Amino acid sequence: MIVGAGAAVAAGIAIGAYWGSHNSSQPAATQASSSESGLTVTSTPGKDDKVDLNEAQVKAIELGTAGTRSFINRRTAVGSIDFNENLEVPVFSNYQGKILKTFVEVGQTVTKGQALYTIDSPDLVQAESALIAAAGVYELTTAALARAKPLLEVQGIAQKDLDQAISDQQTADAALKAAKEAVRVYGKTEAEINGIVAHRKIDPSLVVPSPINGRITTRNAQPGLLVQPGSAPAPYTVSDVSSVWLLANVAETDSPLFHVGQSVKVKVNAFPDRVFEGRISVLGESVDPATHTLLVRSELRDPKHELRSGMLATYDIRTKEPMISLTVPLDSVVREGDGSMSVWVTTDKKRFLKRTVKLGVTQDGFHQVLEGLKAGETVVTKGAILLSNIANGNADS
């Protein structure tokens, strides 16, 4: 029994020495193998995970080389299209009166000088009355002068009477010219003025024309409405729609990146395959205290008049020159449970090592890699998430 006990103790010591020496070489490592999948996974806390695949399993994934590409330094924002208010003109009448007739509707394109509406203007009536009176006096004095000249030759009148007739005629002529100019200010043409004088008929209708080429964007004009110069709302508003504004709010933290003159590329839902180009024209002077955003206004050329006020738009603003950086496809990167990002690299296409990486921007289906990878390394481009699941003991998932 003593001998047996001693043998048992010796055996226990031997077993303990075996496990002790085994554990001392890999103190914190755990190994697991799957005979069904043929995979060998080594997971070492604090170190990168490793996965060994056989040739058949390698065919189930895709590999590629970590290369470089140009990344554009840009910011995106969402905004809306608006009329270019710098090219928007409210069309008031220069004189008080009631609207008699309107000629155009909202959305209609007009040219400079085209009639928008007419008003019954008391001021125009007064000016035309003065014109008719001045024309009558001019005709009277002209006839008197014509009679006086032959009378002087036969000494029928004195020289001073002829001089007075000449003075009266010249005064009447000046008054007639001034009356014509007064009527012309109301928009009457030379032919219309001559017609008023010839027919002695007053035309109280004052035409209000469009001051620019553009599109009617608002209408408040109705027959019978009394209008006054500068009294809002304007009967019509005409906008030059060859260019429009894009209004957007950007994050306060990004505000130092924006400058007047920067180019912008804009997309709208109405034309998903089109890109409209413009430039930043105005930066807000203050940050919204509620949202901590800054207003950025860009001006876009729209020669075909396709963009309309209120359209939702997204745009990219290039803030710096493009930079060349290391890159991997989107499918190469796996987000781990702790929030870190990782890729799988290999040197022999059999053993794969998980590498934690630091990413930058994402553009056109590629991640910018800032740290953790070198150019030329072979990485898994498809199937990376499968390797991560195997490494984490979720091979069945």
Side-chain angles (χ1 to χ4, degrees):
M1 294 297 294
I2 296 176
V3 174
V9 172
I13 293 173
I15 294 173
Y18 170 80
W19 286 111
S21 62
H22 181 75
N23 291 335
S24 63
S25 62
Q26 296 180 353
T30 59
Q31 294 184 342
S33 62
S34 173
S35 58
E36 295 180 358
S37 62
L39 301 177
T40 301
V41 181
T42 303
S43 178
T44 304
K47 297 184 179 181
D48 295 321
D49 291 336
K50 297 178 181 179
V51 172
D52 294 338
L53 303 181
N54 58 36
E55 293 182 1
Q57 292 154 352
V58 169
K59 294 180 180 179
I61 63 175
E62 293 185 14
L63 305 177
T65 302
T68 59
R69 61 181 285 116
S70 176
F71 282 89
I72 300 174
N73 288 289
R74 64 189 183 188
R75 292 294 187 275
T76 60
V78 178
S80 61
I81 302 296
D82 198 0
F83 293 116
N84 187 338
E85 295 181 4
N86 291 339
L87 301 178
E88 194 174 54
V89 182
V91 185
F92 292 98
S93 167
N94 292 329
Y95 305 93
Q96 178 179 330
K98 288 185 178 181
I99 294 179
L100 296 175
K101 190 175 182 180
T102 60
F103 301 104
V104 292
E105 298 292 338
V106 172
Q108 185 174 337
T109 299
V110 296
T111 58
K112 183 178 181 179
Q114 181 177 339
L116 302 183
Y117 62 99
T118 59
I119 66 170
D120 182 1
S121 172
D123 294 330
L124 177 59
V125 171
Q126 184 177 354
E128 290 179 348
S129 297
L131 172 62
I132 293 173
V137 174
Y138 173 78
E139 290 179 1
L140 179 63
T141 56
T142 300
L145 178 59
R147 290 192 302 268
K149 287 181 178 179
L151 289 175
L152 180 63
E153 294 177 358
V154 297
Q155 297 182 351
I157 60 172
Q159 180 64 42
K160 65 177 180 140
D161 294 328
L162 177 63
D163 293 342
Q164 184 64 48
I166 293 174
S167 176
D168 291 344
Q169 194 274 338
Q170 291 176 342
T171 301
D173 180 57
L176 177 60
K177 291 179 179 178
K180 287 184 177 181
E181 290 300 322
V183 174
R184 189 174 289 109
V185 168
Y186 289 88
K188 295 296 184 180
T189 64
E190 190 67 28
E192 290 173 330
I193 292 173
N194 293 334
I196 292 171
V197 172
H199 301 96
R200 299 294 196 271
K201 184 178 180 180
I202 293 175
D203 179 11
S205 176
L206 173 61
V207 177
V208 180
S210 172
I212 61 171
N213 297 329
R215 180 185 294 165
I216 302 298
T217 53
T218 60
R219 170 186 165 169
N220 297 292
Q222 298 295 340
L225 178 67
L226 178 65
V227 294
Q228 297 184 8
S231 179
Y236 281 98
T237 300
V238 182
S239 300
D240 182 348
V241 291
S242 60
S243 69
V244 296
W245 283 352
L246 172 60
L247 306 178
N249 293 304
V250 300
E252 175 185 347
T253 53
D254 290 338
S255 60
L257 302 175
F258 301 103
H259 306 282
V260 172
Q262 284 176 317
S263 62
V264 298
K265 295 184 181 296
V266 181
K267 286 190 175 183
V268 296
N269 294 335
F271 305 98
D273 298 328
R274 296 273 304 279
V275 175
F276 297 86
E277 297 187 356
R279 292 188 178 276
I280 295 178
S281 56
V282 173
L283 295 177
E285 289 297 323
S286 60
V287 172
D288 188 325
T291 60
H292 290 280
T293 56
L294 179 72
L295 175 66
V296 176
R297 189 175 80 197
S298 303
E299 188 170 328
L300 310 178
R301 297 295 301 169
D302 184 28
K304 296 182 179 180
H305 312 322
E306 296 171 307
L307 301 177
R308 298 184 179 274
S309 178
M311 280 185 171
L312 189 66
T314 58
Y315 69 97
D316 289 336
I317 301 177
R318 183 173 296 186
T319 56
K320 294 180 182 178
E321 291 299 319
M323 59 181 178
I324 304 298
S325 296
L326 187 64
T327 180
V328 293
L330 296 182
D331 290 341
S332 292
V333 178
V334 179
R335 178 184 290 274
E336 303 297 335
D338 59 359
S340 63
M341 300 295 183
S342 64
V343 298
W344 289 89
V345 300
T346 182
T347 57
D348 57 6
K349 298 183 181 180
K350 293 182 179 180
R351 173 166 295 185
F352 294 84
L353 175 68
K354 186 172 73 174
R355 187 83 58 77
T356 300
V357 294
K358 181 179 179 181
L359 302 180
V361 298
T362 300
Q363 290 179 11
D364 304 324
F366 289 89
H367 284 300
Q368 179 189 23
V369 181
L370 302 178
E371 296 178 3
L373 197 63
K374 295 180 180 179
E377 289 190 285
T378 302
V379 299
V380 177
T381 57
K382 286 189 177 180
I385 192 169
L386 174 62
L387 292 178
S388 290
N389 285 340
I390 294 171
N392 294 327
N394 300 320
D396 293 337
S397 61

